[in-house]
Amino acid sequence: QVQLVESGGGLVQPGGSLRLSCAASRSIFSLAMMGWYRQAPGKQREFVADITSGGYTNYADSLKGRFTISSDNGKSTVYLQMNSLKPEDTAVYYCNAKTGTPRSRDNYWGQGTQVTVSS
């Protein structure tokens, strides 16, 4: 089992920045990867970015250059730095952790944190 606790959401003006944090209940080294997904009202949850314990990162193509994922393995925490935010980035952002192998994955989710981009 993995518990995930997110923080850092809020209201920001277009063009602003936010940093989300996600603390895991166990070492990142015991996880296959951690990442972020988001879900806007009326839309399906979509992939944002993820990172392995070795530091390899992957991003949704549409978000490359504006969002950056990083980790502090000592704190078992993953961050999502979001810059140049747009109203269409408004969503609930969920932290995700994966265990196991590609053929047998378990997914764990945080409770979500609201990000609202509005003037």
Side-chain angles (χ1 to χ4, degrees):
Q1 292 289 326
V2 184
Q3 281 76 49
L4 303 170
V5 179
E6 301 120 331
S7 60
L11 174 65
V12 63
Q13 292 186 342
S17 298
L18 277 177
R19 188 178 81 156
L20 306 181
S21 301
C22 174
S25 62
R26 55 191 257 194
S27 170
I28 291 178
F29 293 109
S30 71
L31 305 172
M33 63 184 66
M34 289 183 68
W36 293 91
Y37 289 69
R38 68 185 185 182
Q39 187 167 17
K43 295 187 177 181
Q44 289 189 331
R45 191 172 297 188
E46 63 176 0
F47 170 76
V48 174
D50 61 25
I51 186 169
T52 69
S53 59
Y56 291 100
T57 58
N58 186 34
Y59 294 91
D61 287 342
S62 62
L63 300 176
K64 288 179 181 177
R66 293 197 301 122
F67 288 17
T68 302
I69 191 169
S70 61
S71 64
D72 183 333
N73 293 343
K75 295 181 179 179
S76 297
T77 299
V78 170
Y79 305 96
L80 184 68
Q81 178 68 42
M82 305 183 293
N83 298 327
S84 302
L85 283 162
K86 305 174 182 180
E88 50 264 43
D89 294 318
T90 295
V92 177
Y93 284 71
Y94 295 92
C95 183
N96 170 264
K98 291 180 170 60
T99 62
T101 66
R103 294 183 65 181
S104 179
R105 280 272 190 246
D106 287 320
N107 279 280
Y108 299 90
W109 298 93
Q111 79 283 359
T113 185
Q114 177 70 47
V115 172
T116 303
V117 184
S118 175
S119 55

